Amino acid sequence: MKPTSTRDRIIEEADRLFYERGYEHTAFADIAEAVGISRGNVTFHYQTKDAILDAVIDRRLARTAALLERWEAGGEGPADRIKSFIDILIANRAKIMLHGCPVGTLCAELAKLEHHALSHASALFTLFKDWLGSQFAALGLKKEADALALHLLARSQGIATLASALRDEAFLREEVRLLHAWLDGTASPSSRRRRA
Amino acid sequence: MKPTSTRDRIIEEADRLFYERGYEHTAFADIAEAVGISRGNVTFHYQTKDAILDAVIDRRLARTAALLERWEAGGEGPADRIKSFIDILIANRAKIMLHGCPVGTLCAELAKLEHHALSHASALFTLFKDWLGSQFAALGLKKEADALALHLLARSQGIATLASALRDEAFLREEVRLLHAWLDGTASPSSRRRRA
DNA sequence: GACAGAATAGGATAATCGTCCTAGTTCTAA
DNA sequence: TTAGAACTAGGACGATTATCCTATTCTGTC
């Protein structure tokens, strides 16, 4: 059981706080308090708030990539892997209803701040898009793979945004059901025949 | 040509700034500068920032209601009215790609701030939902009207979020095309027969 | 045991923020 | 015309912020 370094724990807590409260609304003091260290200690490990943000995004990118690789290595086929992605909405529904999607809300905030890290953060979307695209391609939908991946991402984003704004879990569950149905209709052999 | 009162112009500019920069990131000084008045003058008309926020939301609610009533009074049928809603994404695409959807991003920010005005802001969603629901009902889809309205709202939100994060106008246009196709498939008489 | 460098704590600082306060100016109604 | 209200400008204040700086403690190595 390797004890986590202070440097890592700062990013852990910053990650959580940026998600729960937003980037701008999170202060150095909040992070320090969450980790249980002093403000000065935080600035020793990360000189600027932007540096913390970059590290948080890097952490998210790494963890997302690891998750996708785990799914890739699992015994399931592409369709089931995509279903795993959809079911994130169910698994994380409590947090999503309180704070929205971590990726979407961060990008939205950074866009408003005209923050240069927006392109870094949106790489999270690209990561998902490319992975989903390769799953659709594996289903024989190579030509539409990118569009399908973006479509699924957008649907997920919309569900998270609305579920959070309206605090409506029934809506979230219903939309997830629709997403599964959409995937079944898109990925099934008969559908692929229809498209051909 | 009635000259706009200072009180109204404050809300106009605050509305714009809250959309472009976000609520928290907009200062009294920014609003005052945008209107061309002093900071003290702003606090004379609105004592607190929360009061400005409430007035901005009220303004958005009123303008949205007026827009929907105009569509309702126009000569078009329910399906075309829904298409007018979808086409907001096209008409406002430049701003959406820079700042996202005004409703969705405001609700997301207020949710993170745990701001009590979230329920006020989410009434904008409810307004759209009820109106869209009545259009679907007029198409003979009374039982599914609410779910269809929420579905359409969520799709729009997702499109705005992703188009803004990825700065991808082609994606936005393609998704709008899909939305029109979805509506045609859902609202057409043959579809209604299939559902029955 | 001494010492170097990393790690930690917390005060200092300059900037910004929302809000309050006061003093002028302009408008309005009698 | 004039009194009072409405409006405007901008200084003051206390709180908060990111960042800087200095002092202290810890840790591993001769």
Side-chain angles (χ1 to χ4, degrees):
Chain A
M1 196 62 191
K2 186 179 64 181
T4 322
S5 71
T6 300
R7 193 178 160 81
D8 288 342
R9 287 197 299 136
I10 289 172
I11 298 308
E12 269 180 47
E13 294 300 318
D15 190 347
R16 182 178 61 80
L17 289 169
F18 288 174
Y19 175 40
E20 291 177 0
R21 309 185 189 176
Y23 172 66
E24 212 183 6
H25 195 52
T26 300
F28 268 87
D30 297 327
I31 301 172
E33 190 192 18
V35 179
I37 59 179
S38 67
R39 281 170 301 123
N41 200 358
V42 176
T43 61
F44 168 76
H45 287 285
Y46 297 93
Q47 282 73 11
T48 68
K49 210 177 166 186
D50 283 5
I52 298 185
L53 176 59
D54 275 330
V56 164
I57 296 174
D58 279 335
R59 173 186 148 98
R60 292 193 187 179
L61 281 168
R63 288 167 67 93
T64 302
L67 173 67
L68 298 180
E69 275 167 31
R70 243 176 295 143
W71 284 346
E72 196 78 29
E76 296 176 322
D80 282 328
R81 289 184 199 140
I82 298 173
K83 283 177 178 295
S84 297
F85 170 80
I86 295 173
D87 287 334
I88 296 179
L89 287 166
I90 298 292
N92 298 346
R93 65 187 181 281
K95 288 185 177 180
I96 287 173
M97 300 221 328
L98 283 176
H99 317 111
C101 165
V103 184
T105 53
L106 179 61
C107 285
E109 183 176 4
L110 296 181
K112 302 232 178 208
L113 300 180
E114 299 188 77
H115 198 292
H116 66 274
L118 170 60
S119 58
H120 194 187
S122 66
L124 281 158
F125 274 134
T126 314
L127 191 58
F128 277 115
K129 188 206 73 175
D130 290 342
W131 185 86
L132 286 170
S134 77
Q135 305 308 316
F136 282 112
L139 285 171
L141 298 161
K142 197 160 191 174
K143 233 175 66 183
E144 314 117 294
D146 255 28
L148 290 170
L150 283 173
H151 178 80
L152 177 50
L153 271 179
R155 294 271 290 266
S156 310
Q157 282 302 306
I159 295 167
T161 302
L162 225 57
S164 164
L166 301 177
R167 298 281 150 92
D168 187 340
E169 182 173 334
F171 157 77
L172 185 147
R173 289 184 178 277
E174 166 65 8
E175 283 289 323
V176 166
R177 196 187 60 77
L178 285 179
L179 269 186
H180 279 295
W182 168 81
L183 181 62
D184 291 339
T186 303
S188 70
S190 67
S191 157
R192 263 170 285 165
R193 229 175 296 124
R194 256 200 312 280
R195 280 162 192 279
Chain B
M1 198 63 192
K2 187 180 64 182
T4 321
S5 71
T6 301
R7 192 177 160 82
D8 288 342
R9 286 199 298 138
I10 289 172
I11 297 308
E12 269 179 47
E13 293 301 318
D15 190 348
R16 182 178 60 82
L17 289 169
F18 288 174
Y19 174 40
E20 291 177 0
R21 309 186 188 175
Y23 172 66
E24 212 183 5
H25 196 242
T26 301
F28 267 84
D30 297 327
I31 301 172
E33 191 192 17
V35 179
I37 59 178
S38 67
R39 280 169 301 122
N41 200 356
V42 176
T43 62
F44 168 77
H45 288 284
Y46 298 93
Q47 282 72 13
T48 68
K49 208 177 167 186
D50 284 5
I52 298 185
L53 176 59
D54 275 330
V56 164
I57 295 174
D58 280 335
R59 174 186 148 98
R60 292 193 188 179
L61 282 168
R63 289 166 67 92
T64 302
L67 174 67
L68 298 181
E69 275 167 31
R70 243 176 295 142
W71 283 347
E72 196 77 29
E76 296 175 323
D80 282 327
R81 290 184 199 140
I82 297 173
K83 282 178 179 295
S84 296
F85 170 80
I86 295 173
D87 286 335
I88 297 179
L89 287 166
I90 298 292
N92 298 345
R93 64 188 184 281
K95 288 186 177 180
I96 286 173
M97 300 222 327
L98 284 175
H99 316 111
C101 166
V103 185
T105 52
L106 179 62
C107 285
E109 182 177 4
L110 296 181
K112 302 232 177 206
L113 301 180
E114 299 188 78
H115 198 292
H116 66 274
L118 170 60
S119 58
H120 194 187
S122 67
L124 281 159
F125 274 135
T126 313
L127 191 58
F128 277 115
K129 188 205 76 177
D130 290 342
W131 185 85
L132 286 170
S134 77
Q135 305 309 316
F136 282 113
L139 285 171
L141 299 161
K142 197 160 191 174
K143 233 175 67 183
E144 315 116 295
D146 257 27
L148 290 170
L150 283 173
H151 178 80
L152 177 50
L153 272 178
R155 295 270 291 266
S156 309
Q157 283 302 305
I159 295 167
T161 302
L162 224 58
S164 164
L166 300 178
R167 299 280 150 92
D168 187 340
E169 183 174 334
F171 157 77
L172 186 148
R173 289 183 178 278
E174 166 64 9
E175 284 289 321
V176 166
R177 197 187 60 76
L178 286 179
L179 269 185
H180 279 295
W182 168 81
L183 181 63
D184 290 338
T186 303
S188 70
S190 67
S191 157
R192 263 170 285 165
R193 228 175 298 124
R194 257 201 311 282
R195 279 162 193 277

